[in-house]
Amino acid sequence: MTELSTDQPHPWQQLAEHVWTLQTDGLRMNVGLVVGTERALVIDTGTGPLQAAWILDAVRQMTDRPITAVNTHAHYDHVFGNAYLAAHGVEDFWAAERCAAVVIEHGDKWRAAVAALEPAMASNDGDHTNLHPANKLVTDAPVDLDLGGVSVTLFHLGRGHTDHDLLVGAGNVLFTGDLVEEGADPAFDDSFPSDWIRTLGKVAALDDLYDVFVPGHGSPVSVDFVTTQLNKMRSAVRVTKIAMDEASVDMTKAIPILPYGPEQSRVLLTRLRTLAHWKWLERQSS
Ligand SMILES: [Zn+2]
């Protein structure tokens, strides 16, 4: 199958037969593309209609097949382009079970985050700025999608960056969403750090199936990078929990010794405190 137009430059990086990735400006978010003889799969849809239009344009330089979309998770840079794609013929949007609910619950609050990139999306005032949550949900069992001669597997391995991170395997390439982050610290805001470590262990154990791991942001990496991220996170969570147990100690003193920048260290600290508080509340009520 030759779909690549050779007379036009395109921004895609080919990772395997039928599999490409495209990095957006600014957030360096990775859009995935898998092309079969019947359909094309687009992984993650951008920050709003402007970026989605750019993505769709790039996809159309590669293939004219009907498109199925996937959201790796509900964060704005991965789903806000859904409405634009839906208005341009995309019917099926896949995601992990909780993703659609999270988009509905938090989507409006996240609009402010794209004010610089997508003013219309931020103010919800313009075409294709509505929230468009996924309508095809992956529950406990993995889902195989047949794109025509090429199949992809959608699956959830447990909580991590969010409670609904979806992985997409295509050939020897695994799209990990923000479970893996290259070029920046992992984002802990909505995360479950202890589960994240376990989930990364499961991701790393898939190295007999996959050679290339595509992070949500940054450059594609090997399994060694995933293992390094796991080990770093494990020691960060350990250090933070020890600081939390020593109640007399000023917790912010843990920040300089964490393996992350001050901002994400602070987010990790806050998140672990919040989760500990939730656990405490749960114990009180049971
Ligand atoms: Zn994210």
Side-chain angles (χ1 to χ4, degrees):
M1 180 187 60
T2 50
E3 295 233 9
L4 270 173
S5 98
T6 46
D7 52 357
Q8 217 175 355
H10 67 85
W12 296 93
Q13 179 190 357
Q14 182 154 25
L15 301 175
E17 203 184 353
H18 314 295
V19 187
W20 291 266
T21 186
L22 167 71
Q23 211 170 84
T24 65
D25 288 341
L27 295 168
R28 297 178 75 222
M29 200 272 288
N30 286 313
V31 179
L33 175 66
V34 188
V35 182
T37 56
E38 302 292 325
R39 306 193 68 78
L41 187 78
V42 172
I43 303 157
D44 287 335
T45 66
T47 47
L50 292 178
Q51 201 164 74
W54 177 77
I55 291 168
L56 184 58
D57 224 46
V59 170
R60 286 304 176 222
Q61 287 180 41
M62 302 286 279
T63 176
D64 56 7
R65 307 275 190 268
I67 295 168
T68 298
V70 178
N71 298 132
T72 57
H73 62 294
H75 285 154
Y76 56 85
D77 43 335
H78 303 263
V79 306
F80 274 6
N82 284 13
Y84 181 90
L85 293 186
H88 291 80
V90 179
E91 289 172 2
D92 290 350
F93 291 82
W94 285 89
E97 195 172 14
R98 281 262 306 140
C99 185
V102 173
V103 167
I104 291 165
E105 200 179 327
H106 299 288
D108 280 322
K109 156 184 104 188
W110 288 336
R111 286 180 188 276
V114 300
L117 293 167
E118 306 257 2
M121 190 72 202
S123 57
N124 192 10
D125 176 22
D127 291 338
H128 322 306
T129 58
N130 54 302
L131 299 174
H132 189 94
N135 55 1
K136 297 275 185 181
L137 301 179
V138 178
T139 52
D140 297 332
V143 169
D144 288 323
L145 296 181
D146 180 8
L147 306 176
V150 180
S151 87
V152 295
T153 308
L154 316 180
F155 57 104
H156 171 72
L157 287 176
R159 301 194 297 189
H161 173 69
T162 66
D163 62 4
H164 58 272
D165 302 292
L166 189 72
L167 295 111
V168 183
N172 66 336
V173 179
L174 184 65
F175 291 88
T176 66
D178 288 1
L179 282 171
V180 179
E181 177 96 30
E182 192 281 325
D185 289 336
F188 289 104
D189 309 64
D190 299 315
S191 73
F192 297 85
S194 302
D195 303 72
W196 197 344
I197 294 161
R198 276 192 290 277
T199 302
L200 280 176
K202 293 181 195 169
V203 173
L206 293 175
D207 68 335
D208 54 339
L209 291 175
Y210 303 107
D211 303 309
V212 183
F213 297 78
V214 185
H217 304 260
S219 303
V221 296
S222 70
V223 70
D224 292 343
F225 183 96
V226 178
T227 306
T228 303
Q229 184 183 312
L230 184 166
N231 289 332
K232 213 167 155 180
M233 199 178 288
R234 183 189 284 137
S235 70
V237 169
R238 196 173 289 157
V239 166
T240 312
K241 282 189 171 167
I242 290 169
M244 284 165 67
D245 287 343
E246 295 166 9
S248 61
V249 176
D250 175 8
M251 294 224 342
T252 55
K253 284 191 182 134
I255 289 176
I257 52 170
L258 290 179
Y260 304 120
E263 195 193 320
Q264 264 325 306
S265 296
R266 215 172 285 278
V267 176
L268 171 61
L269 207 76
T270 309
R271 185 63 181 171
L272 285 172
R273 264 175 165 163
T274 305
L275 292 173
H277 183 65
W278 286 355
K279 219 180 212 170
W280 181 84
L281 286 177
E282 237 168 60
R283 272 202 306 271
Q284 301 307 304
S285 62
S286 66

